[in-house]
């Protein structure tokens, strides 16, 4: 299958790293195309960043629509923990679109009665809280914890940063009485296995979870419903810099 992996921020190194993490778990028949918007924030750490990044996700789904259309089992992953532009992307293609937060919440809920989220900037915790409610996981998510590690600091993550995330996860497991950890940033994907070994509990990276869920939907020949609110966008002109995004 063809898998379009969208890093909604505009940091090439993160796009490459996320692509590597996806290919590390992808099935042999899965071709991963890792992309990022032509505009937008270098990292996504708040509501304003998310808003602009969502338009960038829509842009990338439009740009790569012909590639997706060439495979009846194609899929899309939005590789940012705020799942920016998820509903818009689901309108813009009939390929399944999986956000890494939603994917991680589902996977964690199969492994423990309660999970905790450990993320980057504390100010972004409310975004994850909104997603927990939007997706209906309020009975399973026991806590969301920021580390105040900037997203781009994960690009040069050494033992000190890794230990900081490990400590935050250990504290979350005790405080929340949870049984699993969800990593709250696509940039943490490469840390997942080490953290799982150190913590001794399931640690879920949303990038890997989303890739495998997209493959599962493809294997079951399941695609986004075009009946109702995920029908293709209504034809209309867009103006200014957004003109190419119109239908
Ligand atoms: C992410 N930001 O996964 C989120 C993490 C966050 O640029 N990629 C980003 O803190 O919301």
């Amino acid at each position: 299958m063809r898998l379009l992996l969208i890093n909604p921020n505009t940091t090439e190194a993160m796009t490459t790293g996320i692509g590597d993490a996806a290919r590390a778990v992808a099935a042999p028949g899965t071709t991963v195309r890792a992309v990022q918007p032509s505009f937008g924030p270098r990292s996504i750490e708040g509501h304003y960043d998310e808003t602009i990044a969502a338009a960038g996700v829509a842009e990338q789904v439009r740009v790569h629509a012909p590639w997706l259309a060439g495979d009846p089992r194609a899929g899309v992953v939005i590789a940012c923990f705020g799942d920016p532009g998820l509903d818009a992307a689901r309108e813009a293609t009939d390929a399944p679109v999986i956000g890494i937060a939603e994917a991680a919440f589902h996977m964690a809920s199969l492994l423990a009665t309660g999970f905790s989220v450990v993320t980057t900037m504390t100010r972004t915790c409310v975004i994850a809280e909104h997603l927990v409610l939007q997706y209906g996981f309020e009975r399973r998510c026991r806590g969301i914890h920021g580390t105040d590690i900037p997203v781009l600091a994960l690009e040069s993550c050494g033992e000190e940063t890794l230990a900081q995330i490990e400590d935050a996860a250990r504290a979350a497991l005790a405080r929340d009485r949870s049984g699993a950890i969800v990593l709250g940033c696509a940039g943490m994907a490469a840390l997942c296995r080490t953290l799982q070994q150190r913590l001794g509990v399931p640690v879920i990276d949303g990038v890997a979870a989303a890739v495998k869920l997209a493959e599962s939907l493809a294997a079951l020949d399941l695609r986004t419903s075009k009946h109702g609110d995920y029908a293709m966008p209504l034809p209309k002109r867009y103006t200014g810099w957004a003109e190419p995004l119109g239908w």
Side-chain angles (χ1 to χ4, degrees), residues 180-203:
I181 293 293
V182 165
L183 299 179
C185 179
M188 294 180 178
L191 311 178
C192 187
R193 286 194 181 281
T194 301
L195 288 166
Q196 180 161 290
Q197 288 163 359
R198 291 189 183 186
L199 294 166
V201 301
V203 176

mmCIF file of all heavy atoms in Angstrom, residues 180-203:
data_model
loop_
_atom_site.group_PDB
_atom_site.id
_atom_site.type_symbol
_atom_site.label_atom_id
_atom_site.label_comp_id
_atom_site.label_asym_id
_atom_site.label_seq_id
_atom_site.Cartn_x
_atom_site.Cartn_y
_atom_site.Cartn_z
ATOM 1 N N ALA A 180 -0.121 2.211 31.172
ATOM 2 C CA ALA A 180 0.587 2.381 29.897
ATOM 3 C C ALA A 180 0.879 3.863 29.695
ATOM 4 O O ALA A 180 0.207 4.732 30.268
ATOM 5 C CB ALA A 180 -0.258 1.838 28.742
ATOM 6 N N ILE A 181 1.874 4.122 28.849
ATOM 7 C CA ILE A 181 2.296 5.494 28.535
ATOM 8 C C ILE A 181 2.103 5.764 27.052
ATOM 9 O O ILE A 181 2.511 4.938 26.212
ATOM 10 C CB ILE A 181 3.778 5.723 28.901
ATOM 11 C CG1 ILE A 181 3.987 5.665 30.425
ATOM 12 C CG2 ILE A 181 4.294 7.065 28.354
ATOM 13 C CD1 ILE A 181 3.350 6.789 31.212
ATOM 14 N N VAL A 182 1.486 6.875 26.752
ATOM 15 C CA VAL A 182 1.391 7.354 25.362
ATOM 16 C C VAL A 182 2.364 8.511 25.205
ATOM 17 O O VAL A 182 2.345 9.457 26.007
ATOM 18 C CB VAL A 182 -0.046 7.813 25.041
ATOM 19 C CG1 VAL A 182 -0.081 8.642 23.753
ATOM 20 C CG2 VAL A 182 -0.976 6.607 24.904
ATOM 21 N N LEU A 183 3.229 8.439 24.188
ATOM 22 C CA LEU A 183 4.187 9.522 23.931
ATOM 23 C C LEU A 183 3.481 10.638 23.169
ATOM 24 O O LEU A 183 2.934 10.414 22.091
ATOM 25 C CB LEU A 183 5.379 8.983 23.144
ATOM 26 C CG LEU A 183 6.185 7.878 23.851
ATOM 27 C CD1 LEU A 183 7.332 7.409 22.961
ATOM 28 C CD2 LEU A 183 6.704 8.367 25.199
ATOM 29 N N GLY A 184 3.514 11.830 23.710
ATOM 30 C CA GLY A 184 2.711 12.934 23.177
ATOM 31 C C GLY A 184 3.377 13.798 22.147
ATOM 32 O O GLY A 184 3.107 14.988 22.048
ATOM 33 N N CYS A 185 4.273 13.205 21.354
ATOM 34 C CA CYS A 185 4.933 13.990 20.287
ATOM 35 C C CYS A 185 5.504 13.025 19.256
ATOM 36 O O CYS A 185 6.144 12.031 19.616
ATOM 37 C CB CYS A 185 6.055 14.852 20.864
ATOM 38 S SG CYS A 185 6.916 15.823 19.598
ATOM 39 N N ALA A 186 5.305 13.369 17.992
ATOM 40 C CA ALA A 186 5.868 12.526 16.919
ATOM 41 C C ALA A 186 7.381 12.467 17.030
ATOM 42 O O ALA A 186 8.015 11.476 16.663
ATOM 43 C CB ALA A 186 5.465 13.094 15.565
ATOM 44 N N GLY A 187 7.967 13.511 17.591
ATOM 45 C CA GLY A 187 9.424 13.564 17.728
ATOM 46 C C GLY A 187 9.970 12.615 18.772
ATOM 47 O O GLY A 187 11.186 12.452 18.894
ATOM 48 N N MET A 188 9.078 11.977 19.545
ATOM 49 C CA MET A 188 9.508 11.005 20.555
ATOM 50 C C MET A 188 9.543 9.581 20.009
ATOM 51 O O MET A 188 9.907 8.645 20.724
ATOM 52 C CB MET A 188 8.578 11.055 21.768
ATOM 53 C CG MET A 188 8.622 12.352 22.556
ATOM 54 S SD MET A 188 7.468 12.268 23.955
ATOM 55 C CE MET A 188 7.760 13.878 24.726
ATOM 56 N N ALA A 189 9.174 9.403 18.756
ATOM 57 C CA ALA A 189 9.027 8.045 18.203
ATOM 58 C C ALA A 189 10.279 7.193 18.406
ATOM 59 O O ALA A 189 10.202 6.035 18.809
ATOM 60 C CB ALA A 189 8.672 8.130 16.720
ATOM 61 N N ALA A 190 11.438 7.802 18.192
ATOM 62 C CA ALA A 190 12.693 7.036 18.267
ATOM 63 C C ALA A 190 13.030 6.620 19.696
ATOM 64 O O ALA A 190 13.891 5.759 19.910
ATOM 65 C CB ALA A 190 13.840 7.869 17.682
ATOM 66 N N LEU A 191 12.357 7.206 20.680
ATOM 67 C CA LEU A 191 12.656 6.904 22.096
ATOM 68 C C LEU A 191 11.788 5.781 22.637
ATOM 69 O O LEU A 191 12.002 5.298 23.753
ATOM 70 C CB LEU A 191 12.428 8.158 22.949
ATOM 71 C CG LEU A 191 13.069 9.454 22.469
ATOM 72 C CD1 LEU A 191 12.685 10.597 23.405
ATOM 73 C CD2 LEU A 191 14.578 9.287 22.354
ATOM 74 N N CYS A 192 10.798 5.363 21.839
ATOM 75 C CA CYS A 192 9.746 4.487 22.363
ATOM 76 C C CYS A 192 10.284 3.173 22.947
ATOM 77 O O CYS A 192 9.979 2.817 24.084
ATOM 78 C CB CYS A 192 8.741 4.201 21.261
ATOM 79 S SG CYS A 192 7.281 3.306 21.829
ATOM 80 N N ARG A 193 11.099 2.457 22.169
ATOM 81 C CA ARG A 193 11.548 1.132 22.632
ATOM 82 C C ARG A 193 12.403 1.239 23.896
ATOM 83 O O ARG A 193 12.241 0.465 24.838
ATOM 84 C CB ARG A 193 12.337 0.426 21.523
ATOM 85 C CG ARG A 193 11.438 -0.093 20.393
ATOM 86 C CD ARG A 193 12.159 -1.073 19.485
ATOM 87 N NE ARG A 193 11.301 -1.529 18.398
ATOM 88 C CZ ARG A 193 10.357 -2.466 18.539
ATOM 89 N NH1 ARG A 193 10.167 -3.015 19.734
ATOM 90 N NH2 ARG A 193 9.609 -2.839 17.511
ATOM 91 N N THR A 194 13.289 2.234 23.927
ATOM 92 C CA THR A 194 14.145 2.408 25.107
ATOM 93 C C THR A 194 13.302 2.708 26.338
ATOM 94 O O THR A 194 13.498 2.119 27.412
ATOM 95 C CB THR A 194 15.145 3.551 24.877
ATOM 96 O OG1 THR A 194 15.940 3.258 23.731
ATOM 97 C CG2 THR A 194 16.038 3.762 26.094
ATOM 98 N N LEU A 195 12.324 3.589 26.181
ATOM 99 C CA LEU A 195 11.463 3.934 27.311
ATOM 100 C C LEU A 195 10.672 2.709 27.768
ATOM 101 O O LEU A 195 10.502 2.474 28.973
ATOM 102 C CB LEU A 195 10.533 5.087 26.940
ATOM 103 C CG LEU A 195 11.205 6.451 26.825
ATOM 104 C CD1 LEU A 195 10.281 7.449 26.128
ATOM 105 C CD2 LEU A 195 11.619 6.959 28.209
ATOM 106 N N GLN A 196 10.190 1.910 26.825
ATOM 107 C CA GLN A 196 9.416 0.720 27.210
ATOM 108 C C GLN A 196 10.287 -0.250 27.997
ATOM 109 O O GLN A 196 9.856 -0.800 29.017
ATOM 110 C CB GLN A 196 8.838 0.045 25.970
ATOM 111 C CG GLN A 196 8.009 -1.198 26.275
ATOM 112 C CD GLN A 196 7.089 -1.598 25.138
ATOM 113 O OE1 GLN A 196 6.106 -0.903 24.862
ATOM 114 N NE2 GLN A 196 7.406 -2.692 24.470
ATOM 115 N N GLN A 197 11.527 -0.415 27.556
ATOM 116 C CA GLN A 197 12.451 -1.319 28.281
ATOM 117 C C GLN A 197 12.716 -0.787 29.691
ATOM 118 O O GLN A 197 12.700 -1.522 30.664
ATOM 119 C CB GLN A 197 13.758 -1.461 27.502
ATOM 120 C CG GLN A 197 13.643 -2.293 26.231
ATOM 121 C CD GLN A 197 14.818 -2.080 25.273
ATOM 122 O OE1 GLN A 197 15.746 -1.270 25.548
ATOM 123 N NE2 GLN A 197 14.786 -2.749 24.135
ATOM 124 N N ARG A 198 12.908 0.520 29.814
ATOM 125 C CA ARG A 198 13.257 1.110 31.120
ATOM 126 C C ARG A 198 12.055 1.136 32.073
ATOM 127 O O ARG A 198 12.216 0.939 33.277
ATOM 128 C CB ARG A 198 13.782 2.535 30.926
ATOM 129 C CG ARG A 198 15.145 2.615 30.232
ATOM 130 C CD ARG A 198 15.667 4.036 30.280
ATOM 131 N NE ARG A 198 16.941 4.194 29.581
ATOM 132 C CZ ARG A 198 17.651 5.326 29.597
ATOM 133 N NH1 ARG A 198 17.191 6.411 30.249
ATOM 134 N NH2 ARG A 198 18.804 5.416 28.968
ATOM 135 N N LEU A 199 10.872 1.380 31.528
ATOM 136 C CA LEU A 199 9.689 1.554 32.377
ATOM 137 C C LEU A 199 8.991 0.231 32.701
ATOM 138 O O LEU A 199 8.279 0.137 33.708
ATOM 139 C CB LEU A 199 8.698 2.511 31.707
ATOM 140 C CG LEU A 199 9.163 3.956 31.548
ATOM 141 C CD1 LEU A 199 8.255 4.706 30.583
ATOM 142 C CD2 LEU A 199 9.200 4.662 32.913
ATOM 143 N N GLY A 200 9.147 -0.744 31.824
ATOM 144 C CA GLY A 200 8.511 -2.036 32.083
ATOM 145 C C GLY A 200 7.007 -2.035 31.892
ATOM 146 O O GLY A 200 6.288 -2.898 32.403
ATOM 147 N N VAL A 201 6.492 -1.044 31.155
ATOM 148 C CA VAL A 201 5.068 -1.005 30.807
ATOM 149 C C VAL A 201 4.962 -0.716 29.303
ATOM 150 O O VAL A 201 5.932 -0.258 28.690
ATOM 151 C CB VAL A 201 4.316 0.104 31.595
ATOM 152 C CG1 VAL A 201 4.428 -0.119 33.089
ATOM 153 C CG2 VAL A 201 4.802 1.494 31.204
ATOM 154 N N PRO A 202 3.785 -0.966 28.717
ATOM 155 C CA PRO A 202 3.629 -0.611 27.300
ATOM 156 C C PRO A 202 3.808 0.895 27.098
ATOM 157 O O PRO A 202 3.219 1.706 27.824
ATOM 158 C CB PRO A 202 2.195 -1.034 26.988
ATOM 159 C CG PRO A 202 1.844 -2.046 28.024
ATOM 160 C CD PRO A 202 2.601 -1.630 29.255
ATOM 161 N N VAL A 203 4.662 1.249 26.134
ATOM 162 C CA VAL A 203 4.845 2.662 25.752
ATOM 163 C C VAL A 203 4.441 2.759 24.293
ATOM 164 O O VAL A 203 4.988 2.036 23.446
ATOM 165 C CB VAL A 203 6.297 3.121 25.957
ATOM 166 C CG1 VAL A 203 6.490 4.555 25.469
ATOM 167 C CG2 VAL A 203 6.671 3.013 27.446
#
